[in-house]
């Protein structure tokens, strides 16, 4: 956000970051939570919008009572800025309060140790959000799980980390992980969790290809540490572009009962309403190196995948939903963007599918924020 040095955010706690970011916003962009006088949205947005979600035309599930959803605050702008979301496939629908405490949380621990405030690749201008998802990891043949260990050609290569250098528990026999990288719209099906491989993932996919101007004073060597090295991507077998729509619903009951209760209800509702629109719904584990799809064909509409995710902040505004529209869906004005909604109830789902997923319009009353492929923050 403008002139704000945003904090590094891990999505197992982010309310403080949201509050601080909001307080530092330019006064012209703020809207009062307490006042009934509505300060207009900033002018000039090219994002198509509608004011409110349409009334549903078919039956939907009821919202459970007693969830204590906050209804008064304006949630526009409540999404904390981020540059990349690492969405880790776990095949689980809920997690402990801190996802790094999961038995299979090795990748989260490694990423946190490298990207956190004291990590080797910490960059306050390139915030990374670590999130678990209920999507099953890709089941690759054993022969494909091994990451090539040949040294890269240049002298900027990622050094092999010493055993135990990033995690006191240093698990060596953990299964490879799978992850969606957004808004890069890349899927990496096999990620070995040893320190050297996780560094390669960071260097190849997660770090920026261009640094923030505040880093101009750094030496060339220091800049190289923070810059992406795309050649590292070839170390990960089967990586592919994401061409499916992703509907991500916070269902982190281990963190808060509101999302834990609403998440599964909204998941079922989205699956039903998506299938009603004849959008192919993907339920199986993602595949590596998916078949080429003719996205330029007349009437092309991508398939969709719906899943539960861990904490993204704002449990009091449950249900919290992120919708990523793939760049290949070029007929949609939101292609290449992730749109965050809050206070989503079952009666909103039909309208979200019709207006946002298919028509490419943002629903103002539910809008928390958004992000594009070039990491610009979507504002209304």
């Amino acid at each position: 956000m403008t002139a704000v040095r945003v904090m590094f955010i891990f999505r197992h706690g982010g309310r403080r970051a949201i509050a601080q970011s909001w307080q530092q916003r330019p006064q012209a962009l703020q809207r009062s939570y307490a006042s009934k006088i509505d300060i207009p949205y900033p002018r000039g947005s090219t994002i198509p919008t509608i004011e409110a979600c349409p009334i549903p035309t078919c039956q939907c599930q009821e919202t459970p009572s007693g969830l204590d959803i906050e209804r008064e605050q304006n949630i526009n702008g409540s999404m904390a800025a981020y540059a990349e979301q690492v969405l880790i496939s776990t095949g689980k629908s809920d997690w402990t309060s801190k996802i790094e405490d999961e038995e299979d949380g090795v990748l989260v621990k490694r990423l946190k140790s490298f990207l956190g405030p004291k990590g080797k690749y910490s960059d306050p201008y390139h915030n990374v959000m670590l999130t678990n998802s209920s999507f099953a990891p890709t089941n690759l043949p054993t022969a494909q799980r091994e990451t090539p260990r040949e040294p890269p050609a240049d002298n900027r290569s990622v050094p092999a980390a010493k055993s135990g250098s990033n995690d006191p528990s240093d698990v060596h026999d953990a299964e490879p992980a799978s992850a969606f990288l957004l808004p890069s719209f890349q899927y990496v099906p096999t990620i070995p969790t040893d320190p050297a491989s996780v560094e390669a993932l960071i260097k190849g996919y997660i770090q920026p290809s261009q640094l923030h101007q505040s880093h101009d004073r750094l030496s060339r060597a220091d800049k190289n540490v923070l810059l992406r090295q795309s050649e590292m991507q070839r170390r990960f077998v089967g990586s592919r572009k994401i061409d499916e729509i992703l509907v991500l619903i916070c269902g982190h009951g281990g963190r808060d009962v509101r999302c834990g209760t609403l998440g599964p209800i909204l998941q079922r509702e989205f699956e039903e309403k998506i299938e009603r629109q004849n959008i192919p719904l993907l339920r199986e584990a993602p595949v590596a190196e998916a078949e080429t799809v003719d996205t330029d064909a007349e009437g092309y509409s991508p398939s969709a995948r719906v899943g539960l995710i861990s904490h993204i902040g704002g449990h009091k505004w449950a249900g919290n939903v992120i919708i990523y529209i793939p760049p290949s869906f070029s007929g949609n004005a939101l292609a290449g963007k992730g749109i965050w909604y809050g206070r989503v109830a079952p009666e909103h789902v039909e309208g979200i599918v019709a207006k946002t997923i298919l028509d490419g319009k943002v629903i103002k009353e539910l809008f928390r924020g958004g992000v594009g492929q070039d990491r610009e923050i979507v504002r209304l």
Side-chain angles (χ1 to χ4, degrees), residues 237-252:
V237 175
S239 298
R240 64 170 175 87
K241 293 181 179 180
I242 297 171
D243 286 318
E244 60 261 46
I245 297 162
L246 296 179
V247 179
L248 311 177
I249 307 158
C250 183
H252 200 165

Side-chain angles (χ1 to χ4, degrees), residues 64-105:
S65 60
L67 289 183
D68 191 26
I69 307 299
E70 197 285 318
R71 302 289 182 186
E72 298 299 322
Q73 295 180 348
N74 169 35
I75 59 175
N76 180 21
S78 64
M79 179 204 81
Y82 66 100
E84 198 75 61
Q85 180 176 14
V86 180
L87 187 69
I88 302 168
S89 301
T90 70
K92 300 177 181 178
S93 58
D94 199 8
W95 307 270
T96 57
S97 180
K98 293 184 177 181
I99 59 175
E100 69 267 32
D101 291 341
E102 290 284 320
E103 290 183 3
D104 56 358

Side-chain angles (χ1 to χ4, degrees), residues 87-128:
L87 187 69
I88 302 168
S89 301
T90 70
K92 300 177 181 178
S93 58
D94 199 8
W95 307 270
T96 57
S97 180
K98 293 184 177 181
I99 59 175
E100 69 267 32
D101 291 341
E102 290 284 320
E103 290 183 3
D104 56 358
V106 179
L107 181 57
V108 175
K109 292 178 183 178
R110 299 269 194 235
L111 288 168
K112 183 176 180 181
S113 69
F114 284 122
L115 296 169
K118 296 182 180 180
K120 178 178 179 180
Y121 303 113
S122 174
D123 183 350
Y125 300 99
H126 188 79
N127 301 322
V128 179

Side-chain angles (χ1 to χ4, degrees), residues 22-332:
W22 178 262
Q23 292 167 3
Q24 297 177 62
R25 295 180 76 190
Q27 190 67 30
L29 297 183
Q30 294 189 27
R31 297 175 70 188
S32 172
Y33 281 174
S35 173
K36 294 184 179 180
I37 300 174
D38 194 28
I39 301 174
Y41 292 97
R43 299 291 183 184
S45 174
T46 60
I47 302 296
T49 63
I50 59 174
E51 290 293 331
C53 198
I55 297 173
T57 63
C58 56
Q59 186 175 5
C60 55
Q61 299 179 70
E62 292 185 2
T63 301
S65 60
L67 289 183
D68 191 26
I69 307 299
E70 197 285 318
R71 302 289 182 186
E72 298 299 322
Q73 295 180 348
N74 169 35
I75 59 175
N76 180 21
S78 64
M79 179 204 81
Y82 66 100
E84 198 75 61
Q85 180 176 14
V86 180
L87 187 69
I88 302 168
S89 301
T90 70
K92 300 177 181 178
S93 58
D94 199 8
W95 307 270
T96 57
S97 180
K98 293 184 177 181
I99 59 175
E100 69 267 32
D101 291 341
E102 290 284 320
E103 290 183 3
D104 56 358
V106 179
L107 181 57
V108 175
K109 292 178 183 178
R110 299 269 194 235
L111 288 168
K112 183 176 180 181
S113 69
F114 284 122
L115 296 169
K118 296 182 180 180
K120 178 178 179 180
Y121 303 113
S122 174
D123 183 350
Y125 300 99
H126 188 79
N127 301 322
V128 179
M129 181 167 61
L130 305 180
T131 317
N132 277 353
S133 79
S134 63
F135 301 138
T138 297
N139 185 20
L140 291 177
T142 303
Q144 289 185 307
R145 293 187 177 195
E146 295 299 325
T147 299
R149 299 299 182 187
E150 73 275 6
D154 62 32
N155 58 10
R156 296 180 299 149
S157 61
V158 176
K162 294 180 180 180
S163 176
S165 61
N166 294 290
D167 182 0
S169 60
D170 203 29
V171 179
H172 294 279
D173 57 354
E175 286 290 312
S178 302
F180 294 81
L181 306 177
L182 301 152
S184 291
F185 289 90
Q186 289 283 332
Y187 179 65
V188 186
T190 176
I191 306 169
T193 53
D194 61 279
S197 296
V198 175
E199 280 198 80
L201 177 76
I202 293 169
K203 296 295 290 183
Y205 287 100
I206 298 175
Q207 289 188 287
S209 54
Q210 182 176 351
L211 295 179
H212 189 275
Q213 61 185 9
S214 297
H215 292 314
D216 288 348
R217 292 171 291 181
L218 294 178
S219 68
R220 172 51 56 186
D222 287 338
K223 288 180 180 178
N224 285 341
V225 171
L226 297 177
L227 278 169
R228 179 176 298 186
Q229 296 177 20
S230 297
E231 64 272 16
M232 290 287 180
Q233 295 180 9
R234 65 175 178 260
R235 299 182 63 177
F236 296 90
V237 175
S239 298
R240 64 170 175 87
K241 293 181 179 180
I242 297 171
D243 286 318
E244 60 261 46
I245 297 162
L246 296 179
V247 179
L248 311 177
I249 307 158
C250 183
H252 200 165
R255 189 67 182 263
D256 189 279
V257 68
R258 288 166 288 197
C259 283
T261 300
L262 265 179
I265 295 173
L266 292 175
Q267 182 181 22
R268 293 191 294 270
E269 198 72 26
F270 269 105
E271 289 174 345
E272 178 192 343
K273 298 305 187 287
I274 284 173
E275 289 186 312
R276 278 176 177 263
Q277 293 286 356
N278 295 317
I279 300 172
L281 188 63
L282 304 176
R283 300 178 185 272
E284 302 299 322
V287 298
E289 297 180 329
E291 294 183 6
T292 301
V293 178
D294 184 6
T295 58
D296 295 325
E298 185 177 354
Y300 165 75
S301 177
S303 54
R305 194 178 298 277
V306 180
L308 299 177
I309 61 173
S310 61
H311 179 60
I312 57 172
H315 284 310
K316 63 183 178 180
W317 299 315
N320 287 292
V321 177
I322 309 174
I323 299 171
Y324 285 103
I325 307 294
S328 58
F329 196 6
S330 57
N332 188 306

